[in-house]
Amino acid sequence: MKKIIIINGPNLNLLGNREDDIYGKESLDKIKADCEKKCHEKKIELTFFQSNNEGEIIDRIHDVNDNYDGLIINPAAFTHSSIAILDSLRAINKPKIEIHLSNIYAREEYRKKSITSEGVDGLICGFGGNSYLLGIEAISKLIYK
Ligand code: DQA
């Protein structure tokens, strides 16, 4: 059984109640339940984590090399600002995928640059909660290859 962690950044705990025209009406708990179902089908053990705190996110990224086969991250607003998260991603030698609910390239100028994606294998964005499931599809091909 392979193990992955999905890490969620700041304000994603508010999904469903937050700018639902952009992020959809699904709560993070609903997305988590869908991810658990998908991982079960793919024979992947899932840890699902959310934090509003940059340091806690970095600590969980540091856990990946020793404890997981892959990482999926939605760094939320840290995507556009955090060199610290980029550096921690670069230190991970397991498959890593960045995801976003919204298409960050079709939004405000300040969202069009993803600093953190320079530290991952690939990026999926713009499919709402489905971006998470597409991320699991993609990472399962990388970890079971
Ligand atoms: C987001 C996009 C970010 O720009 C934003 O700050 C978020 C959510 C997304 O999933 O679309 O909080 O990461």
Side-chain angles (χ1 to χ4, degrees), residues 104-120:
I104 57 172
Y105 300 102
R107 299 186 59 194
E108 301 94 332
E109 281 306 315
Y110 55 83
R111 290 186 206 276
K112 288 183 181 163
K113 170 81 181 157
S114 168
I115 291 175
T116 48
S117 68
E118 292 176 30
V120 297

Side-chain angles (χ1 to χ4, degrees), residues 10 12 18 23 74 76-77 79-80 99-102 104 107 111:
L12 293 172
R18 170 194 180 213
Y23 299 120
N74 181 350
T79 304
H80 318 293
I99 57 169
H100 298 280
L101 297 141
S102 63
I104 57 172
R107 299 186 59 194
R111 290 186 206 276

